[in-house]
Amino acid sequence: MQSTLFPGVRLPLVQAPMAGAQGAALAAAVCNAGALGSLPAAMHTPESLERELAGLRALTPHPFNVNFFCHSPPVTDPVTEAHWMETLHPHYQQWQLTGQDMVPGPGRAPFSETMAEVLDSFRPAVVSFHFGLPAPALLARVKAMGSLVMSSATTVEEGLWLQNHGADIVIAQGLEAGGHRGVFLHTDLSTQRPLAELLPTLVQSLRVPVLAAGGIANDADVAAAMAMGAAGVQVGTAYLTCHEATTSALHRRALQATPPRTTALTNIFTGRPARGIVNHAMQSLGPMNPEAPAFPLATAAMAPLRARAEAAGSDDFSPLWAGTNMQGCLSESAADTTRRLAKGFDTIAS
């Protein structure tokens, strides 16, 4: 199948950006296999992003996507922070930690003028956003680079908002998708729908192309999404166990567990709902804990617990991001994963 969705990209297949589990190597391998590789930028500084983009350019001549978050930076609330530390105190005691072990910091930064300056030197073919879109002036700057703009919608309301505010492509993020929910117009999780419900309504409601994301792990899933009207698909979880990914050994083991482990939405690791594999932290604190500080401030207090547990070989406090369908998590190259998924487009074409 020859795609017209992204100029210069053979397949309408996007590797989802996965901060903390990949760098330029995975994105380049996907690009070289004929799909659109993505580089997550939310956890980069301007300097580290410039280095990563230079490395990506050196690894592939093909178009690629760079992804940013669009959240509003929160104001630290000492009362909320104190309550959160009180909630975590038994776990700190268990792992012989104190508040002195916590290193404050946001962990993830929204798109900014400084990051736009870095992008200007590379002018990526595609720039994608999570949690809405940047301010109009910043978005105009991205479009002036010649980049296509994508963003995630979890409801029809969000899809229409994105279309009306300048998105060229909307990603339908089904409830099955791993990682952070793209929800941005409200905080009501009862509005979140499975891909099979969300995708057709977005396709029917929007003028712009719609990508399908969530629970897509093999060629049959790709074919099913395309049959529902998707212009292409975005896949993340299946790429987490590729050779080129930087996914930790603990995370890989959880993704490939037999029988498969369950997933749930949780806010305890970052302060914002995200789907991950259920572990001790989610069970003991509750997957959605009202005491968790605003995104991304919750990360700081969880980080020492994660580091201490992982050093002991435990994933008890690790954010094990994953979608509901982990059947595609094979130990193979990103090129092999891309070719395996691409067979779903051949089914539609025939």
Side-chain angles (χ1 to χ4, degrees), residues 69-257:
F69 286 172
C70 290
H71 60 285
S72 298
V75 176
T76 301
D77 178 4
V79 174
T80 300
E81 295 288 343
H83 285 164
W84 187 228
M85 287 303 296
E86 185 178 344
T87 300
L88 296 179
H89 180 67
H91 302 290
Y92 266 63
Q93 278 193 317
Q94 177 189 353
W95 290 96
Q96 299 179 326
L97 294 165
T98 70
Q100 299 300 314
D101 295 295
M102 189 178 79
V103 180
R108 294 165 176 84
F111 188 57
S112 63
E113 287 283 357
T114 307
M115 287 303 202
E117 288 282 349
V118 175
L119 278 190
D120 243 336
S121 301
F122 295 91
R123 296 179 174 261
V126 182
V127 177
S128 64
F129 297 100
H130 216 45
F131 315 137
L133 290 169
L138 273 175
L139 184 63
R141 184 167 181 179
V142 171
K143 293 210 166 195
M145 299 174 197
S147 304
L148 284 173
V149 170
M150 302 193 300
S151 189
S152 299
T154 68
T155 64
V156 172
E157 181 185 14
E158 288 177 345
L160 290 168
W161 188 97
L162 292 173
Q163 175 182 268
N164 294 338
H165 287 78
D168 299 303
I169 297 169
V170 168
I171 303 163
Q173 189 191 36
L175 187 55
E176 303 91 338
H180 286 97
R181 302 300 301 155
V183 58
F184 64 92
L185 288 182
H186 51 72
T187 58
D188 182 4
L189 292 181
S190 70
T191 64
Q192 305 297 282
R193 294 289 179 265
L195 184 63
E197 294 180 23
L198 177 64
L199 177 59
T201 55
L202 277 174
V203 170
Q204 184 177 21
S205 303
L206 303 185
R207 300 183 306 274
V208 299
V210 179
L211 290 180
I216 299 173
N218 54 42
D219 57 334
D221 298 328
V222 171
M226 298 300 285
M228 286 189 284
V233 300
Q234 178 172 280
V235 178
T237 302
Y239 282 106
L240 282 171
T241 52
C242 289
H243 304 324
E244 297 88 348
T246 60
T247 313
S248 71
L250 285 171
H251 196 169
R252 289 174 188 265
R253 190 164 68 213
L255 289 162
Q256 296 177 320

Side-chain angles (χ1 to χ4, degrees), residues 265-284:
L265 294 182
T266 182
N267 68 340
I268 64 171
F269 296 109
T270 68
R272 198 169 187 125
R275 183 173 295 282
I277 296 170
V278 175
N279 59 4
H280 174 69
M282 292 165 67
Q283 290 170 331
S284 62

